[in-house]
Amino acid sequence: MTITQLEYVLAVAEHQNFTKAAEHRFVTQPTLSMQIQKLEDQLDILIFDRSKKPIELTEVGKRIVAQARNIVNESYRIQDIVDQQKGFIGGEFKLGIIPTVMPTLLPMFLKNFIKKYPKVKLKIEELTTEEIISRLNDGHLDAAIAATPLECDTLKERPLYYEPFVGYIPENHRLKSKTKLDVSDLDLEDMLLLEDGHCFRDGVINLCKVFKNKKDETFQLESGSIETLIKLSNEGLGMTLLPYLHTLELNEVQKAKLHYFNDPSPAREVSVIYHKSELKMQIIEALRDTISGVVRGAIAFQNVQIISPLAKK
């Protein structure tokens, strides 16, 4: 049994196709098939049910894949140990970022990080929280930046910053005259929200439900982007809540529509997240230090109340 054989098994389990798995591993399909067949012969079992389309794992195959993932991850740790001993910070690093963090945070730290760590080959994807959790657990991401806490036993979270919610209120809105907002002022019936699947949306709903027990059916307007929410609000279609970093680039007319909360200000916790196996920790630490350094100057809020990003059932 070899690490390479186990990597091939994981690739077929992921792609459910021998040809696609071989392409992913940069080998020929006969080579990959032969190695998996050799492993199955050695174990005297079938890992894959080849009669199914797409290919499926057998029951024992599911258990083998789970263990193979652990073994392969542990084998990668050896290279990690060597890299850390040498003080080397480099190589490919796959990072996921949620959509409501990506456009504001990425421009703040990316240039600094690339300049300081030129040997790191960053591969960045914009992903939902659900996709991030799945890919971290499958080993397809090295780390992610998302709103926390996520209450996932397989992952570790290290807070980067706490980002307050800020009200964006149009001229004709019932709250326009309020200098400072209270959570009790909010009502889901006149709130513009992001579409389902965004953790920031769930955070806003959780915030409103602290004082009111409204049902999701009351929502009439939802959008896929914060920029669209601002435009809809400008048309007088309702108020919305923005993450603080999104307010920094608004023009003066838009900034006049911002309303901050009384202390403690509701906020989201934004963290770097990684698997508990703690692979590539030297890069994760470098990433965390870089982000913390640039964000520290932008967000000076201390008295905040963290709102969970988890959707309430």
Side-chain angles (χ1 to χ4, degrees), residues 95-102 125-138 140-141 143-152 154-157 194-204 206 268-274 307-311:
L95 178 69
I97 308 179
I98 59 173
T100 57
V101 167
M102 174 87 98
E125 288 187 82
E126 184 175 282
L127 302 166
T128 65
T129 302
E130 185 177 345
E131 290 171 329
I132 281 171
I133 292 172
S134 174
R135 295 197 189 193
L136 284 171
N137 283 326
D138 288 344
H140 297 142
L141 280 181
I145 299 171
T148 53
L150 297 178
E151 299 177 7
C152 185
T154 58
L155 304 180
K156 291 193 174 185
E157 304 168 358
L194 289 171
E195 293 172 348
D196 198 10
H198 289 270
C199 64
F200 188 76
R201 174 188 192 272
D202 295 323
V204 172
N206 294 343
R268 64 174 176 175
E269 177 183 79
V270 177
S271 301
V272 60
I273 308 162
Y274 50 93
I307 306 301
S308 173
L310 299 178

Side-chain angles (χ1 to χ4, degrees), residues 45-49 56-65:
I45 51 92
L46 286 178
I47 299 173
F48 298 101
D49 184 346
E56 294 182 4
L57 288 163
T58 61
E59 285 305 311
V60 68
K62 293 175 183 177
R63 296 172 64 186
I64 288 172
V65 163

Side-chain angles (χ1 to χ4, degrees), residues 38-240:
K38 189 175 179 180
L39 178 60
E40 287 178 320
D41 290 344
Q42 179 185 345
L43 297 174
D44 195 25
I45 51 92
L46 286 178
I47 299 173
F48 298 101
D49 184 346
R50 294 163 174 78
S51 67
K52 300 288 182 64
K53 300 293 181 184
I55 292 169
E56 294 182 4
L57 288 163
T58 61
E59 285 305 311
V60 68
K62 293 175 183 177
R63 296 172 64 186
I64 288 172
V65 163
Q67 187 60 33
R69 188 169 288 117
N70 292 335
I71 293 170
V72 170
N73 281 341
E74 288 301 314
S75 73
Y76 293 159
R77 190 186 297 277
I78 295 174
Q79 186 62 52
D80 261 10
I81 292 170
V82 174
D83 288 345
Q84 290 179 42
Q85 179 66 28
K86 293 180 177 179
F88 176 72
I89 300 178
E92 184 177 277
F93 189 82
K94 293 168 286 186
L95 178 69
I97 308 179
I98 59 173
T100 57
V101 167
M102 174 87 98
T104 53
L105 183 63
L106 195 61
M108 293 177 71
F109 81 85
L110 186 58
K111 187 176 180 179
N112 285 354
F113 185 86
I114 292 173
K115 184 177 180 180
K116 191 171 182 180
Y117 304 103
K119 294 181 180 179
V120 176
K121 184 181 178 183
L122 271 180
K123 288 191 172 182
I124 302 172
E125 288 187 82
E126 184 175 282
L127 302 166
T128 65
T129 302
E130 185 177 345
E131 290 171 329
I132 281 171
I133 292 172
S134 174
R135 295 197 189 193
L136 284 171
N137 283 326
D138 288 344
H140 297 142
L141 280 181
D142 296 308
I145 299 171
T148 53
L150 297 178
E151 299 177 7
C152 185
D153 293 340
T154 58
L155 304 180
K156 291 193 174 185
E157 304 168 358
R158 295 188 66 185
L160 294 167
Y161 58 91
Y162 302 100
E163 184 174 25
F165 292 33
V166 182
Y168 188 85
I169 301 176
E171 292 296 333
N172 62 348
H173 195 273
R174 61 184 175 84
L175 297 177
K176 181 61 181 177
S177 61
K178 292 208 67 169
T179 305
K180 287 272 193 174
L181 297 178
D182 291 309
V183 174
S184 57
D185 294 326
L186 303 180
D187 191 331
L188 289 175
E189 289 192 331
D190 63 6
M191 183 85 65
L192 299 172
L193 296 166
L194 289 171
E195 293 172 348
D196 198 10
H198 289 270
C199 64
F200 188 76
R201 174 188 192 272
D202 295 323
V204 172
I205 293 172
N206 294 343
L207 177 61
C208 294
K209 286 183 176 179
V210 170
F211 285 90
K212 294 181 174 67
N213 187 23
K214 298 290 184 182
K215 295 184 178 179
D216 288 6
E217 293 84 64
T218 61
F219 307 156
Q220 294 183 342
L221 279 172
E222 298 180 1
S223 170
S225 75
I226 287 176
E227 289 70 24
T228 303
L229 292 182
I230 292 173
K231 290 179 182 178
L232 292 172
S233 185
N234 288 338
E235 294 297 320
L237 297 173
M239 70 168 290
T240 192

